[in-house]
Amino acid sequence: MNRLGLAAALTGFAAVALGAFGAHGLSLDGDALDWWNKATLYGLVHAAAALAISISVQAGLLRRAGWAFVLGAVIFSGCLYAMALGAPRWLGAVVPLGGVSFLAGWALAAVSAVRR
């Protein structure tokens, strides 16, 4: 089983489903709407990147990059979705950890490309 591919696909599914829910099922304004949209965008972009990595035959750093993207999407997007739905704003302090995970994933992907 390709666990990274499964995690990437589920992350992408969640981003699309939650994006549609936000557009059609929620009434959000201001910061909450901005958080929801950003969570959806970043989640979907990084799910796609992780899925692309999951179908490559390369292991090592590139595979770790894919996992960093999935982890970042869960932390970054998850906290923003929660805050948009009324969770405490202190979760905003956790959001950058997801961003760091995204950056780590891109850095790992770059190092992997240089080593090829």
Side-chain angles (χ1 to χ4, degrees), residues 58-75:
Q58 191 171 357
L61 289 179
L62 189 60
R63 203 116 181 119
R64 288 186 183 120
W67 281 110
F69 292 152
V70 169
L71 178 64
V74 169
I75 295 170

Side-chain angles (χ1 to χ4, degrees), residues 23-75:
H24 303 290
L26 289 177
S27 180
L28 300 173
D29 294 322
D31 285 343
L33 180 60
D34 291 340
W35 293 334
W36 197 271
N37 290 335
K38 188 167 290 189
T40 300
L41 174 65
Y42 278 56
L44 190 55
V45 165
H46 289 89
L51 186 61
I53 289 169
S54 79
I55 61 176
S56 76
V57 295
Q58 191 171 357
L61 289 179
L62 189 60
R63 203 116 181 119
R64 288 186 183 120
W67 281 110
F69 292 152
V70 169
L71 178 64
V74 169
I75 295 170

Side-chain angles (χ1 to χ4, degrees), residues 1 6 9 22-23 32 37 39 42 46 49 54 63 75-76 85 92 100 106 110-111:
M1 177 171 67
L6 177 61
N37 290 335
Y42 278 56
H46 289 89
S54 79
R63 203 116 181 119
I75 295 170
F76 184 92
L85 294 174
V100 168
W106 289 113
V111 170

Side-chain angles (χ1 to χ4, degrees), residues 10-20 39-41 43-44 47 81:
L10 292 175
T11 301
F13 180 92
V16 171
L18 290 167
T40 300
L41 174 65
L44 190 55
Y81 286 134

